[in-house]
């Protein structure tokens, strides 16, 4: 599948993920996308590898596009000292990028407490990482075994991104129990997070705290 077809297919899949009031999107990372960073955004991520700056540029341009659909134009999306994106007043959101694609989700704070999003290639997780991710309470019902642990990994990262802005706690994989049959996760400090996901053409997980 070429890049454009991949983006089109993923956009269609992601349309299924969003709950009412949540806008989601995806965008291929292209050469030169670091130039999409607004000056305030570039200043917030000064010491990064060029590929990371490029991906941040793609993701922030995408997130600003989603905000513009809500009437919020050209507002910089900063970065906290902990790495969390900083959203304009009244909004919550999340961004993620793998090597090829950026994804983003935004919502109004009045409707949604916090959001987390993650994306991963639809490929098995390397064994050394896989052994760290699963805990006994995780339920992966109905997911092809080849991708189940990668999906679990992505779900836990999305949950972390949704909960960190609320609790300021650095969670490990062992602190998040995922039940894909119930489409939810529970953290060690008791937060219950709603999950939705797609597997193809890429894994994307959206985590919603309400
Ligand atoms: C947040 C984290 C999970 C991101 O994972 P990643 O694979 O490096 O990168 P992704 O592309 O998926 O996401 C990157 C985006 O996450 C967001 N992010 C980073 N730290 C965040 C935090 N503390 N809270 C919420 N979002 C955060 C940023 O928007 C970042 O984009 P940017 O770098 O362009 O600003 C990782 O950087 C991290 O901080 N891990 C520590 C905790 C952990 O890994 N626990 C085990 C999993 S639960």
């Amino acid at each position: 599948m070429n890049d454009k077809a991949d983006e089109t297919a993923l956009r269609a899949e992601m349309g299924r993920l969003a709950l009412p009031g949540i806008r989601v999107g995806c965008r291929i990372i292209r050469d030169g996308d670091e130039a999409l960073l607004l000056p305030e955004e570039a200043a917030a991520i000064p010491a990064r590898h060029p590929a990371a700056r490029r991906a941040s540029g793609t993701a922030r341009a995408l997130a600003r596009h989603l905000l513009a659909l809500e009437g919020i134009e050209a507002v910089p999306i900063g970065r906290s000292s902990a790495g969390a994106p900083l959203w304009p007043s009244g909004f919550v959101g999340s961004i993620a990028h793998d090597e090829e694609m950026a994804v983003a989700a935004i919502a109004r704070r009045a409707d949604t407490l916090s959001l987390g999003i993650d994306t991963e290639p639809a490929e098995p997780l390397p064994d050394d990482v896989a052994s760290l991710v699963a805990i006994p309470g995780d339920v992966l019902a109905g997911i092809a075994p080849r991708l189940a642990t990668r999906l679990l990994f992505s779900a836990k990262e999305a949950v972390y991104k949704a909960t960190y802005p609320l609790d300021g706690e650095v969670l490990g994989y062992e602190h998040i129990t995922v039940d894909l049959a119930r489409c939810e996760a529970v953290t060690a400090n008791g937060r219950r997070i709603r999950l939705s996901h797609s597997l193809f053409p890429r894994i994307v997980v959206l985590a919603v705290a309400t």
Side-chain angles (χ1 to χ4, degrees):
M1 198 183 278
N2 67 34
D3 281 356
K4 194 67 199 165
D6 200 14
E7 186 183 63
T8 303
L10 184 60
R11 186 169 298 126
E13 271 296 295
M14 288 179 70
R16 278 191 318 104
L17 300 189
L19 302 168
I22 301 175
R23 290 190 186 271
V24 295
C26 62
R27 183 165 169 162
I28 294 167
I29 300 167
R30 294 190 171 81
D31 288 348
D33 274 1
E34 56 276 13
L36 297 173
L37 290 167
L38 298 177
E40 300 90 329
E41 295 172 342
I45 52 169
R48 302 190 82 190
H49 187 275
R53 289 180 75 82
R54 186 179 315 133
S56 287
T58 315
R60 281 175 166 71
L62 168 63
R64 281 190 262 108
H65 166 71
L66 299 177
L67 289 166
L69 297 175
E70 293 287 333
I72 305 295
E73 297 285 348
V75 175
I77 300 163
R79 200 165 193 269
S80 78
S81 56
L86 299 173
W87 299 96
S89 173
F91 285 85
V92 295
S94 184
I95 60 180
H97 25 79
D98 64 12
E99 287 175 11
E100 292 157 354
M101 191 76 77
V103 296
I106 63 122
R108 288 184 184 271
R109 195 181 289 275
D111 306 323
T112 302
L113 199 55
S114 188
L115 288 174
I117 198 165
D118 190 62
T119 186
E120 295 285 325
E123 299 292 338
L125 199 62
D127 288 344
D128 55 333
V129 186
S131 65
L132 303 173
V133 174
I135 57 175
D138 292 327
V139 176
L140 295 169
I143 308 297
R146 183 175 169 272
L147 294 180
T149 313
R150 176 78 81 163
L151 176 60
L152 183 65
F153 173 83
S154 190
K156 293 193 179 192
E157 297 233 329
V159 169
Y160 174 69
K161 291 182 197 174
T163 57
Y164 184 87
L166 298 174
D167 302 325
E169 279 185 41
V170 179
L171 300 177
Y173 302 109
E174 69 279 17
H175 299 129
I176 302 170
T177 308
V178 168
D179 185 339
L180 290 177
R182 297 171 69 99
C183 301
E184 69 171 25
V186 180
T187 64
N189 63 3
R191 282 213 184 267
R192 200 165 284 273
I193 305 292
R194 183 153 175 196
L195 299 175
S196 54
H197 74 270
S198 70
L199 281 179
F200 298 108
R202 273 160 215 276
I203 292 172
V204 177
V205 180
L206 179 67
V208 182
T210 49

